[in-house]
Amino acid sequence: MRRTVAIGILGSTLDSGSKSTRWGKWRPTVSLCQQPGLFIDRLELLTDRHSDGTYAQVCADIAEVSPATEVRRHLLTIKNPWDFSEVYEGLRAFAESYEFDHERERYLVNITTGTHVHQICWFLLTEARFVPAELLQLSPAKKRDGEEGSIGTHSIIDLDLSRYDAIATRFAAERNEAASFLKSGIATRNRAFNAMIDEIEQVAIRSRAPVLLMGQTGAGKSHLAKRIYELKKAQRQVSGAFVEVNCATLRGDQAMSTLFGHVKGAYTGALAGRAGLMRSADKGILFLDEIGELGLDEQAMCLRAIEEKSFLPVGADKDATSDFQLIAGTNRDLQIDVKQGRFREDLLARLNLWTFELPALRDRREDIEPNLEYELARFTQREGRKATFNREARAIYLAFAQSPEATWSANFRDLSASVTRMATLAPNSRIDEQTARAEIARLRRQWSTLHSSAAEHLQELLGERLSAIDAFDQGQIANVIDVCRRSRSLSEAGRELFNVSRTQKSSGNDADRLRKYLARFGLSFDLIAAPR
């Protein structure tokens, strides 16, 4: 059985009373120790240095009405009880110095006494769990219930909102709405993707730390970053702009100037100053897509800007400041880049707090159908006319789109382009079987070109040795090369190539299996991987 401990402020007015009339007056701190069904084992009473008389009288009266209640005094040095900052710091200091024993004691914070500022600060500290307690509110008795000096009533408020069914239901609905918002309202079916979006939603609302989005080109990193920004803006967590830049387009001095700005005359041709993207993102979100393409000098300045919210514009002798949240995107394996000296380990450590890998479209084939509807809706919004499938055309297209034959090498960019072509060419805006079959043929040609380039690459890699390899093995190796060239790491390629057998093994190393397979033909991942 846990002991009940109450924490409260001695009321300079409500708890005072002359010796002759005090029992005819409702005094909340004394009343607290008289409540039916609520025994207070210990009362932690916060007072100032000018309340000795009131404190002594209240202690004496508590000893009379509840002899077993222990009262402890804590001096609270607050000059202005209406100054929010001073009151919060004073109560926070008390909370940090107090040794809470939640296993053995239950804590109640009495918000009846003190100023309204005290009450607000108690709520904030309790809600943030700096004070692991429930709130307690005392009320005087109504006249019809008895005399003015009766003990009154009390209410206990538990800030664990999950205990309140109606509120918990509302919060769950809001979380679902937020997750749906991040998915642009698309009813995705892939469980792993949906679980990842649920986690991103929590991070977006609760954290301002950097977020790293990983995934292949076209997997939706930029789109998701914008939705995170829009969600945070709807929650009034950001007031600034969403600023996006593809780091692959930044080179040399241009990179420094674009990101960090420059002063007039910083270099030849700098006829005017430039704020830079980091300052433009103040109070908002900066999305650095393909952050792995930044040079090491720019990475160092980015790290300082993230940690200190300040940076030095090109040619300046005074720091500029910007309070932005960073979202970074990459299609590279930054761990490998760190090992090879192309990416700073300390910057990756700073980015790696929240890392999410967006799966390729071919790994979410069950989500192709709902995304098909989304792309049709986007076409309607963009072009001002509605296009739809007839039943047969839709079935034909989906059967192909969801089959292993459809590689979706550019992910959602391929799907978006495919839908745009069909909607544009559809007779009377109705996509028929002929239009769908023509688009399927186009996609086959497009992807077969990619596969043929893999065969050409195989010829370049193996040279004369290729003639000593069976045609069966040549086709298999060409497919492996294709997968390796579009993968960011040996591990990612291994997961795709051994997608079935890996689920049937209690343990295994897909990367090692692939490494050994390539070694049979004198190949390695680094040798055949496409430059990024």
Side-chain angles (χ1 to χ4, degrees):
M1 194 70 180
R2 293 193 300 170
R3 290 161 53 85
T4 299
V5 178
I7 302 171
I9 295 172
L10 182 67
S12 58
T13 299
L14 289 177
D15 284 328
S16 65
S18 64
K19 291 185 178 181
S20 59
T21 61
R22 68 182 188 280
W23 291 110
K25 176 187 176 184
W26 177 72
R27 292 176 295 161
T29 300
V30 177
S31 170
L32 170 62
C33 300
Q34 295 177 284
Q35 296 297 307
L38 179 64
F39 176 71
I40 304 300
D41 292 281
R42 188 172 72 251
L43 173 61
E44 308 286 1
L45 201 53
L46 282 62
T47 77
D48 59 27
R49 297 182 181 277
H50 309 292
S51 304
D52 292 350
T54 303
Y55 173 74
Q57 187 65 72
V58 167
C59 284
D61 292 343
I62 289 175
E64 183 175 339
V65 299
S66 183
T69 298
E70 176 190 0
V71 181
R72 294 180 181 176
R73 186 179 188 182
H74 301 268
L75 288 177
L76 194 62
T77 305
I78 295 177
K79 294 181 180 179
N80 183 358
W82 295 96
D83 184 303
F84 179 84
S85 176
E86 186 179 3
V87 172
Y88 184 88
E89 288 300 323
L91 295 180
R92 173 77 178 268
F94 162 77
E96 290 178 345
S97 63
Y98 189 86
E99 295 185 5
F100 292 97
D101 185 357
H102 217 294
E103 296 297 321
R104 296 183 176 85
E105 296 178 337
R106 172 199 186 194
Y107 298 97
L108 303 173
V109 170
N110 180 14
I111 60 172
T112 312
T113 50
T115 66
H116 293 322
V117 175
H118 284 110
Q119 295 168 351
I120 292 170
C121 291
W122 275 134
F123 169 82
L124 293 174
L125 290 167
T126 304
E127 194 271 340
R129 305 306 290 169
F130 289 115
V131 178
E134 300 165 282
L135 300 181
L136 180 139
Q137 175 73 57
L138 295 159
S139 304
K142 297 178 181 180
K143 289 185 177 180
R144 64 175 179 270
D145 294 334
E147 298 298 326
E148 185 181 357
S150 70
I151 62 176
T153 60
H154 71 275
S155 299
I156 295 176
I157 307 166
D158 188 346
L159 293 182
D160 181 1
L161 300 183
S162 65
R163 296 174 181 243
Y164 303 93
D165 291 342
I167 297 177
T169 300
R170 177 172 180 174
F171 276 20
E174 290 177 351
R175 283 196 301 271
N176 290 336
E177 288 175 7
S180 177
F181 181 86
L182 290 178
K183 296 186 291 184
S184 299
I186 303 171
T188 53
R189 303 163 184 169
N190 184 275
R191 289 185 179 182
F193 178 76
N194 287 339
M196 182 187 70
I197 290 295
D198 288 341
E199 188 171 332
I200 292 176
E201 179 266 332
Q202 295 180 58
V203 171
I205 292 176
R206 300 178 186 178
S207 173
R208 296 191 73 248
V211 174
L212 178 61
L213 301 178
M214 302 176 67
Q216 297 177 0
T217 299
K221 300 185 293 294
S222 177
H223 179 75
L224 180 56
K226 290 176 184 175
R227 299 300 284 183
I228 291 173
Y229 165 75
E230 290 165 2
L231 176 62
K232 293 179 78 75
K233 190 172 184 180
Q235 298 276 338
R236 295 178 176 84
Q237 294 186 9
V238 295
S239 57
F242 177 81
V243 179
E244 177 180 3
V245 62
N246 188 320
C247 298
T249 65
L250 305 180
R251 290 291 183 270
D253 292 339
Q254 177 204 15
M256 287 289 195
S257 176
T258 302
L259 289 174
F260 309 106
H262 65 251
V263 298
K264 181 180 178 180
Y267 53 85
T268 303
L271 302 180
R274 180 179 187 179
L277 296 181
M278 287 199 173
R279 265 193 284 184
S280 300
D282 186 33
K283 302 295 188 296
I285 285 181
L286 176 64
F287 177 50
L288 296 182
D289 198 10
E290 306 306 343
I291 193 172
E293 302 296 335
L294 280 182
L296 293 174
D297 291 341
E298 291 82 13
Q299 293 174 29
M301 289 187 68
C302 278
L303 178 62
R304 182 178 176 229
I306 295 169
E307 294 183 337
E308 301 178 16
K309 306 298 181 185
S310 64
F311 49 90
L312 192 66
V314 178
D317 54 10
K318 182 180 178 181
D319 278 345
T321 60
S322 180
D323 186 11
F324 61 87
Q325 181 179 0
L326 177 68
I327 301 179
T330 184
N331 63 4
R332 305 171 65 121
D333 189 328
L334 296 182
Q335 295 282 5
I336 291 178
D337 285 355
V338 167
K339 293 178 182 178
Q340 296 178 347
R342 293 198 300 260
F343 201 82
R344 293 180 62 99
E345 185 175 11
D346 50 4
L347 178 56
L348 179 57
R350 194 69 177 82
L351 296 176
N352 213 21
L353 175 61
W354 299 112
T355 300
F356 302 96
E357 183 163 1
L358 277 63
L361 181 58
R362 63 178 173 273
D363 297 326
R364 296 172 50 197
R365 296 188 185 275
E366 64 269 50
D367 287 341
I368 290 176
E369 183 175 6
N371 274 282
L372 183 64
E373 297 303 321
Y374 173 72
E375 293 297 341
L376 284 170
R378 283 184 64 197
F379 177 85
T380 299
Q381 184 179 25
R382 185 173 63 246
E383 303 297 333
R385 57 189 177 87
K386 186 174 183 178
T388 59
F389 280 93
N390 69 31
R391 182 180 300 177
E392 293 77 11
R394 179 186 175 87
I396 291 170
Y397 184 80
L398 280 176
F400 168 76
Q402 294 173 336
S403 71
E405 185 183 0
T407 60
W408 299 113
S409 54
N411 293 293
F412 288 95
R413 292 178 184 174
D414 272 352
L415 181 62
S416 179
S418 177
V419 171
T420 298
R421 286 192 292 266
M422 287 188 291
T424 301
L425 298 173
N428 299 317
S429 296
R430 184 72 166 170
I431 302 171
D432 56 17
E433 294 175 67
Q434 182 179 349
T435 306
R437 293 186 189 281
E439 177 58 26
I440 291 171
R442 184 195 299 264
L443 290 172
R444 282 178 172 144
R445 288 194 302 271
Q446 175 182 322
W447 293 329
S448 67
T449 300
L450 294 176
H451 287 300
S452 64
S453 66
E456 293 170 0
H457 196 198
L458 180 61
Q459 177 68 50
E460 294 173 5
L461 290 169
L462 294 177
E464 295 180 357
R465 288 180 294 163
L466 187 62
S467 60
I469 300 175
D470 290 335
F472 175 84
D473 287 329
Q474 289 184 26
Q476 192 175 55
I477 299 171
N479 180 60
V480 170
I481 288 176
D482 181 37
V483 172
C484 288
R485 297 194 72 195
R486 65 172 182 253
S487 299
R488 289 170 293 127
S489 68
L490 187 68
S491 296
E492 182 180 306
R495 286 195 296 272
E496 179 176 345
L497 289 165
F498 302 113
N499 64 316
V500 176
S501 61
R502 70 192 304 267
T503 63
Q504 301 169 353
K505 298 170 69 71
S506 58
S507 63
N509 188 326
D510 299 323
D512 187 57
R513 294 172 69 190
L514 178 55
R515 184 184 296 108
K516 291 176 180 178
Y517 174 82
L518 293 172
R520 285 172 49 197
F521 304 97
L523 300 174
S524 69
F525 180 82
D526 291 338
L527 181 64
I528 65 178
R532 298 179 185 278

